Amino acid sequence: MDLMNYIGGKFERHSGEKWLDVEEPSTGNVFARAPLSTPADVDSAILAARKAQPKWGGMDGEERARWLDRIADGLESRYEEIASLESKDTGKPISLARTVDAHRSVVNFRFFADEIRRHEGEIFEMADSTNFVSYRPVGVGALITPWNLPLYLLSWKVAPAIGMGNTVVCKPSELTPMTANLLMEVIHEVGLPEGVVNLVHGDGLGAGSSLVSHDDVDLVSFTGGTSTGSKVAEAAAPQFKKLSLELGGKNSSIVLEDCDIESTIKGVVRSGFMNQGQVCLCGSRILVQDGIYDEFMERFIEEVESMTVGDPSDEGTDLGALISAEHLRKVEGYIELAKEEGGTIVTGGYPCLPERLSNGNWIAPTVITGLSVDSRCSTEEIFGPVVSVHRFSKDSEAIGIANNTRYGLAGSVWTGDLERGRRIADSIHTGMVWVNTWLHRDLRAPFGGVKDSGVGREGGKWSLGFFSEATNVCVKHD
Ligand code: NDP
């Protein structure tokens, strides 16, 4: 299957001759090709978006919200197809692709349709004047997304961006282009006005960097790694583009002696290994208080080893394949480094799989102990099914360890004392902390990181604020 770009309401072949192979991570088989788009393709997409923007931006919010609902309906009608394409393209278990990826992609459009309906300007009265605040579209947006949650994250950007009256050019990861293509098919089928949403496939260095540095792009919303984020920020800076960066993380799960051990083990395992540990929010450093350490470790390892690693299309699979051979090598490199840094691999290795999966990117969930909390493996983002466990005695020590990384995305605290949980959470320098849960999302709440985990916030009114320009008109009465 050869994919095409979607520009100005049409599926178009790219202008270059080169293609990118799309591989199935679980087998290594190539099952599609994506265009390696050129700067000329990026130019046409931006031109189409620019042309469409005035009319689209001039529509009222209710009308745009209705378009978002139509897109949600279209996605919902292809729910199972989204799940199976996402599972095939990323290597994640089908059950996860269904309950997380397909589900959230539909919900994102519906949620922002409702938010946009509710969204209003503000009025601030002074003794002699009235201020009328309105939210105008920014213009043309570049939306760049990673491979771990492809449609989930793309829909999280497209819905608020177009909902607020912008037009957009999307650039999904070259590794996972399939569901972005499906979204364009849905957008085409529902008849969204041409040029409102455009898609250019390609690599980061080619299509991605041409897009973010383009003179005619007004905003950039980027989700991806921290080092790419800094290149994107550099490219966007000269024209003062509006910029949102959702970047990497190295998140701690803090387990206190007074926690409910049963639900904590389940929560910490889910947080450490969901999507093979390839979620920016994954709790890959587990800090366990002295008094519960031995019991926790015994039951934790038992739970980790009970997970089924295997064919992503099997309903019973808990963990699938890593995204690529290159990424697998990176993760393996960190496991080797952990040994050099004095760590002990308590469980890990390679899963035993059928012959047809032998060329996939496989590794078993891996637990490392004995690492210093300052070691590279304990402070750098590995982004795979690898966690390190550390022991602590006082709450202040756990807080110190949790804050001891360049990242500041998320974290979780597991305790029977909610006040204590809140106190610890308030001392952790990240954008989000969960107490006795993880990845429990209210889409109205702010989402984003501090330090090297990003700039800006997404979610509810924060997304609407980013994808608009708040403008004040002050009228003096007399
Ligand atoms: P990358 O940073 O490698 O890529 C992200 C996107 O940027 C891809 O579409 C990529 O294209 C594109 N890109 C690469 N180089 C450039 C460039 N110079 N200019 C413009 N675009 C470029 O991240 P990954 O795809 O590897 O995703 C994993 C990372 O994403 C992890 O660090 C993870 O923590 C982070 N992430 C953060 C989230 C958050 O909300 N904070 C959520 C999910 C993931 P291509 O792939 O084609 O090269």
Side-chain angles (χ1 to χ4, degrees):
M1 179 183 182
D2 284 346
L3 304 181
M4 284 197 267
N5 291 334
Y6 186 65
I7 298 177
K10 293 185 192 69
F11 285 94
E12 277 187 5
R13 197 190 177 289
H14 61 303
S15 60
E17 291 306 316
K18 294 194 180 145
W19 294 84
L20 295 158
D21 284 341
V22 184
E23 281 180 17
E24 195 176 3
S26 62
T27 61
N29 295 339
V30 173
F31 68 101
R33 295 194 309 172
L36 184 65
S37 300
T38 65
D41 300 314
V42 171
D43 279 349
S44 343
I46 293 170
L47 195 67
R50 177 61 64 197
K51 217 170 127 195
Q53 201 283 320
K55 190 164 176 205
W56 177 255
M59 253 179 209
D60 75 18
E62 172 56 38
E63 208 175 332
R64 287 197 297 261
R66 280 203 296 272
W67 281 109
L68 298 189
D69 276 336
R70 282 179 208 132
I71 297 171
D73 292 343
L75 288 174
E76 196 158 38
S77 72
R78 296 175 72 173
Y79 198 92
E80 201 50 36
E81 193 186 342
I82 295 172
S84 70
L85 262 186
E86 210 68 296
S87 167
K88 186 172 178 152
D89 209 10
T90 61
K92 69 179 65 183
I94 181 74
S95 56
L96 185 72
R98 194 179 288 124
T99 52
V100 173
D101 299 74
H103 173 74
R104 260 294 291 278
S105 306
V106 174
V107 167
N108 284 342
F109 277 97
R110 288 213 199 294
F111 168 74
F112 279 113
D114 289 345
E115 286 293 294
I116 278 147
R117 283 192 178 98
R118 273 197 292 269
H119 190 248
E120 286 177 347
E122 288 113 7
I123 295 178
F124 299 108
E125 294 290 358
M126 297 163 78
D128 60 351
S129 314
T130 305
N131 294 280
F132 297 93
V133 179
S134 62
Y135 291 82
R136 300 180 185 167
V138 185
V140 172
L143 310 182
I144 303 202
T145 44
W147 46 259
N148 63 334
L149 294 157
L151 188 57
Y152 175 121
L153 290 172
L154 186 61
S155 53
W156 183 237
K157 295 184 190 300
V158 170
I162 67 171
M164 291 307 281
N166 307 283
T167 54
V168 297
V169 179
C170 313
K171 209 301 279 171
S173 169
E174 68 193 274
L175 299 175
T176 53
M178 302 308 291
T179 50
N181 179 67
L182 183 147
L183 175 63
M184 297 308 119
E185 287 174 359
V186 165
I187 279 171
H188 193 70
E189 279 155 22
V190 303
L192 188 75
E194 61 188 45
V196 173
V197 177
N198 306 276
L199 175 92
V200 180
H201 292 284
D203 63 349
L205 287 177
S209 68
S210 318
L211 184 56
V212 294
S213 58
H214 200 287
D215 285 349
D216 210 18
V217 162
D218 305 297
L219 74 83
V220 176
S221 173
F222 172 86
T223 300
T226 295
S227 62
T228 318
S230 100
K231 289 184 200 140
V232 166
E234 210 178 312
Q239 290 127 357
F240 307 105
K241 294 179 171 132
K242 230 179 158 187
L243 183 64
S244 157
L245 299 171
E246 296 289 345
L247 308 176
K250 184 75 178 181
N251 315 294
S252 295
S253 306
I254 300 177
V255 179
L256 302 177
E257 282 168 356
D258 62 4
C259 72
D260 172 66
I261 187 107
E262 202 72 42
S263 56
T264 298
I265 299 271
K266 294 236 175 299
V268 171
V269 169
R270 176 171 168 264
S271 145
F273 298 103
M274 183 196 232
N275 202 28
Q276 298 77 249
Q278 303 168 126
V279 177
C280 52
L281 306 164
C282 273
S284 54
R285 323 166 79 204
I286 303 169
L287 317 182
V288 186
Q289 199 164 17
D290 271 337
I292 202 178
Y293 187 87
D294 292 338
E295 185 189 358
F296 175 87
M297 279 309 279
E298 192 182 321
R299 296 173 69 171
F300 177 65
I301 298 297
E302 211 174 281
E303 187 77 18
V304 170
E305 289 181 343
S306 75
M307 284 191 287
T308 306
V309 183
D311 191 335
S313 63
D314 284 352
E315 294 292 340
T317 292
D318 297 310
L319 295 187
L322 300 199
I323 187 68
S324 66
E326 189 188 340
H327 190 56
L328 173 62
R329 280 194 295 276
K330 177 188 153 188
V331 172
E332 288 169 330
Y334 270 107
I335 295 170
E336 283 311 306
L337 178 66
K339 294 180 198 158
E340 288 163 27
E341 291 186 316
T344 303
I345 313 299
V346 183
T347 186
Y350 294 92
C352 184
L353 296 165
E355 178 58 25
R356 73 198 157 76
L357 301 177
S358 60
N359 290 326
N361 314 312
W362 297 98
I363 192 143
T366 303
V367 179
I368 307 170
T369 56
L371 283 172
S372 146
V373 291
D374 298 320
S375 63
R376 285 186 52 200
C377 287
S378 173
T379 52
E380 295 179 12
E381 184 184 48
I382 300 175
F383 216 56
V386 179
V387 301
S388 59
V389 188
H390 307 269
R391 198 192 264 264
F392 73 91
S393 48
K394 292 201 180 110
D395 292 6
S396 57
E397 196 185 340
I399 293 165
I401 301 171
N403 288 337
N404 176 33
T405 79
R406 61 190 283 227
Y407 296 108
L409 189 58
S412 63
V413 184
W414 303 83
T415 175
D417 178 347
L418 298 185
E419 280 303 308
R420 186 179 172 199
R422 274 289 302 278
R423 260 195 326 270
I424 294 175
D426 284 340
S427 308
I428 296 178
H429 197 196
T430 59
M432 296 159 281
V433 186
W434 284 280
V435 177
N436 291 338
T437 183
W438 176 78
L439 193 38
H440 192 44
R441 291 274 293 122
D442 181 329
L443 302 186
R444 294 167 302 179
F447 181 99
V450 299
K451 302 200 280 187
D452 287 7
S453 290
V455 174
R457 292 289 177 274
E458 296 182 333
K461 67 176 184 187
W462 288 271
S463 291
L464 302 193
F466 172 70
F467 287 111
S468 63
E469 295 286 12
T471 312
N472 187 42
V473 174
C474 176
V475 179
K476 188 148 190 309
H477 306 138
D478 45 26

